[in-house]
Amino acid sequence: QLGRPELVELVLGELDPRCQEHWLFHGTTEAAVQGISDREFRMDFAGKHRGTLYGKGVYLAECCSKADEYAEEEGEGGLCSMLICRVALGQILVNQESRPTNDLSELCRSSRCHSVCGDRWAA
């Protein structure tokens, strides 16, 4: 019998550790799920729903319970929408501040990083 990690890998494919590939969650609205699925994440929508604490970008979570905070209950059943995304994070800039004061996108570029991880548990 397959364990949970093996089953996920069998269904969704093997992740590539060379580019820091991970499965991450994105909580949003039903309409946004459809738009992202049909096209892609749109950077011009970044921050429209809940702000940009870590700068403009696509906000993803490693825990579905965190992504659920950004989903909205819709329809008769009050269901929430969430995407599971295969993401290549590359070189990661980790920020442990609860309220970052610096422009993390500029710091990310100058540090030759590809993504920012807001480590809220450490903050």
Side-chain angles (χ1 to χ4, degrees):
Q1 180 166 339
L2 293 174
R4 195 172 289 180
E6 294 84 9
L7 182 59
V8 169
E9 187 175 300
L10 179 68
V11 173
L12 300 175
E14 188 176 346
L15 296 174
D16 187 347
R18 296 171 298 170
C19 62
Q20 289 280 15
E21 200 171 35
H22 297 273
W23 291 109
L24 299 174
F25 300 94
H26 181 75
T28 188
T29 65
E30 185 178 344
V33 165
Q34 192 62 51
I36 294 165
S37 298
D38 288 346
R39 292 171 292 284
E40 60 188 23
F41 283 98
R42 291 188 44 192
M43 294 309 292
D44 57 323
F45 283 4
K48 299 270 192 226
H49 185 59
R50 295 281 178 105
T52 54
L53 180 63
Y54 296 102
K56 263 194 151 180
V58 176
Y59 282 68
L60 303 160
E62 60 185 322
C63 298
C64 63
S65 59
K66 181 63 180 176
D68 183 57
E69 294 175 27
Y70 298 89
E72 293 183 9
E73 289 185 24
E74 299 177 277
E76 291 180 30
L79 297 177
C80 294
S81 297
M82 188 178 302
L83 291 167
I84 183 166
C85 306
R86 187 177 190 149
V87 183
L89 298 173
Q91 189 67 28
I92 305 167
L93 172 68
V94 177
N95 182 279
Q96 296 181 335
E97 299 173 78
S98 59
R99 294 269 178 223
T101 53
N102 297 324
D103 180 355
L104 294 180
S105 57
E106 183 54 43
L107 183 58
C108 189
R109 280 190 289 277
S110 67
S111 301
R112 297 183 158 227
C113 292
H114 306 104
S115 60
V116 175
C117 174
D119 189 350
R120 306 286 288 174
W121 288 327

